[in-house]
């Protein structure tokens, strides 16, 4: 299959590498001028847990191919669109007249109504999911990341289409276990507020990396998440369908926080997931908190722990 990764962010890079390793033809679309800036290779430091429980440590210099133009008559079979939620509409608007016959896989956080977020992209050419892998670029532009064994793929209450079934088979063949979410809208919004709850404390401490192993901070994050559950219900999410997802926010916080602190300090995969996010100026945590708070205020939901850290995210780019 011929696959275009939209952008060269962490998720695009990690999944592009995994898909190319599975025998697919992978390229990256980047903005004009970026190809020369990025160079011809990406330095990878990966913990790949698709086949081994403890993960396989991969360190390599990966040659990649970029393109800075995209014409509608391209021959890509799949375009993987994984951008921050607040950039999704802009990216979708760019792709809409250039999609051709390709399937677009939207792979990432969403806080708007999903079909509104993709604008003019034809819904019958769109598949939906969420990556379980992640990480961050560190010193010397090295990508430190973990590839987890599974990927979330789902629909909005309908059976998967032929295009969506093809995407599922693609990831299975690449060694991923596909976790099906028939109510992906609800699941994505739950994940979004879970991120917001963690960011209330990571912004206070400096970054998500500083929250790893911090039991008190993790407990406060869980309490912030608990305050956000009524917001999800006000938006129409049936939390009964997602009991496992919301359990960490409903369970005794001292117990859950202690478990999370131990995991993020001593277990490689969750520790790396936190430690890779060490930039105190990162835009995404502020955007997630800002948009969550705006929706809570619109619906009249009290979220005091989120409001308490508002000075750190009230304006674009932080305070």
């Amino acid at each position: 299959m011929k696959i275009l990764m939209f952008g060269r962010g962490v998720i695009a890079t990690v999944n592009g590498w995994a898909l190319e390793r599975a025998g697919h033809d992978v390229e990256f679309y980047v903005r004009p001028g970026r190809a020369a800036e990025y160079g011809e290779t990406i330095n990878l430091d990966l913990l790949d847990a698709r086949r081994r429980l403890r993960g396989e440590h991969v360190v390599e210099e990966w040659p990649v191919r970029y393109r800075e133009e995209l014409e509608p008559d391209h021959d890509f079979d799949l375009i993987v669109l994984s951008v921050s939620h607040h950039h999704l509409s802009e990216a979708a608007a760019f792709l809409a007249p250039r999609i051709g016959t390709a399937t677009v896989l939207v792979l990432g956080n969403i806080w708007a109504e999903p079909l509104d977020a993709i604008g003019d992209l034809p819904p019958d050419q769109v598949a939906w999911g969420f990556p379980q892998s992640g990480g961050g670029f560190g010193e010397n532009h090295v990508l430190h990341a973990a590839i987890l064994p599974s990927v979330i793929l789902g629909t909005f209450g309908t059976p998967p289409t032929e295009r969506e079934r093809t995407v599922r088979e693609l990831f299975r063949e690449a060694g991923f276990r596909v976790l099906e979410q028939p109510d992906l809208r609800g699941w994505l919004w739950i994940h979004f507020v879970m991120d917001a709850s963690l960011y209330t404390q990571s912004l206070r401490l400096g970054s998500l990396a500083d929250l790893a192993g911090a039991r008190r901070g993790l407990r406060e994050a869980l309490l912030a998440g608990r305050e956000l559950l009524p917001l999800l219900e006000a938006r129409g999410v049936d939390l009964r369908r997602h009991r496992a997802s919301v359990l960490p926010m409903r369970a005794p916080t001292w117990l859950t926080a202690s478990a999370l602190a131990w995991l993020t300090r001593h277990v490689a995969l969750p520790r790396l997931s936190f430690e890779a996010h060490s930039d105190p100026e990162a835009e995404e945590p502020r955007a997630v908190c800002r948009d969550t708070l705006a929706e809570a205020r619109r619906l009249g939901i009290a979220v005091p722990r989120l409001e308490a850290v508002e000075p750190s995210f009230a304006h674009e780019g932080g305070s």
Side-chain angles (χ1 to χ4, degrees):
M1 183 177 289
K2 190 167 183 180
I3 301 170
L4 180 68
M5 314 303 293
F6 188 86
R8 205 208 66 163
V10 172
I11 300 305
T13 302
V14 168
N15 285 278
W17 176 82
L19 292 170
E20 185 177 276
R21 267 207 164 186
H24 300 284
D25 184 359
V26 174
E27 294 183 39
F28 291 82
Y29 171 81
V30 296
R31 293 179 180 178
R34 288 291 179 87
E37 176 186 333
Y38 288 141
E40 297 178 351
T41 61
I42 301 176
N43 292 314
L44 302 175
D45 184 350
L46 306 176
L47 188 61
D48 184 357
R50 286 175 296 165
R51 294 174 178 84
R52 297 181 185 175
L53 183 61
R54 296 177 63 88
E56 174 190 359
H57 190 200
V58 178
V59 177
E60 71 173 61
E61 194 172 343
W62 178 36
V64 294
R65 290 175 294 146
Y66 299 110
R67 63 168 54 215
E68 297 180 343
E69 295 181 358
L70 185 63
E71 300 298 330
D73 60 351
H74 63 76
D75 60 349
F76 288 103
D77 302 295
L78 177 69
I79 300 173
V80 179
L81 177 55
S82 182
V83 297
S84 300
H85 78 281
H86 53 296
H87 295 310
L88 178 56
S89 294
E90 177 187 359
F94 173 85
L95 281 175
R98 298 172 174 86
I99 185 176
T101 61
T103 298
V104 175
L105 171 61
V106 178
L107 196 66
N109 258 342
I110 296 176
W111 188 228
E113 287 287 347
L115 294 183
D116 292 341
I118 62 170
D120 292 331
L121 282 176
D124 62 346
Q125 286 183 242
V126 178
W128 303 85
F130 191 88
Q132 298 287 85
S133 308
F137 285 94
E139 293 183 4
N140 301 317
H141 307 291
V142 176
L143 175 58
H144 301 276
I147 303 179
L148 298 189
S150 57
V151 61
I152 304 287
L153 297 173
T155 63
F156 308 122
T158 58
T161 64
E162 180 64 30
R163 289 177 182 269
E164 290 171 321
R165 288 193 294 270
T166 299
V167 170
R168 283 151 175 72
E169 187 59 29
L170 171 75
F171 277 89
R172 289 191 185 100
E173 290 176 352
F176 291 93
R177 182 163 55 99
V178 173
L179 301 180
E180 193 72 43
Q181 271 293 339
D183 177 27
L184 187 62
R185 171 180 173 271
W187 188 93
L188 287 169
W189 287 357
I190 291 169
H191 185 274
F192 195 92
V193 302
M194 290 177 71
D195 277 355
S197 66
L198 289 171
Y199 291 149
T200 65
Q201 300 308 304
S202 70
L203 288 171
R204 183 178 62 83
L205 295 173
S207 71
L208 197 60
D210 298 304
L211 192 57
R215 187 180 62 82
R216 181 176 298 179
L218 288 165
R219 181 175 183 275
E220 283 298 308
L222 291 166
L223 290 171
R226 187 176 293 177
E227 292 175 355
L228 290 166
L229 293 179
L231 172 60
L232 292 168
E233 292 178 309
R235 297 191 91 199
V237 178
D238 184 355
L239 298 182
R240 294 171 300 178
R241 299 186 64 181
H242 300 279
R243 288 188 177 92
S245 295
V246 300
L247 180 61
M249 294 177 280
R250 285 181 162 167
T253 54
W254 65 269
L255 178 62
T256 308
S258 296
L260 286 174
W262 188 88
L263 286 169
T264 55
R265 188 184 297 276
H266 298 291
V267 179
L269 288 171
R271 185 181 71 243
L272 177 59
S273 179
F274 274 63
E275 290 179 348
H277 296 85
S278 59
D279 181 6
E281 303 300 322
E283 177 188 15
E284 178 72 357
R286 291 171 169 82
V288 168
C289 289
R290 190 165 50 244
D291 291 348
T292 304
L293 181 56
E295 183 71 351
R297 285 175 170 162
R298 185 183 75 84
L299 294 173
I301 306 298
V303 287
R305 284 180 170 80
L306 183 55
E307 289 180 332
V309 293
E310 184 180 7
S312 66
F313 63 77
H315 304 291
E316 197 70 35
S319 56

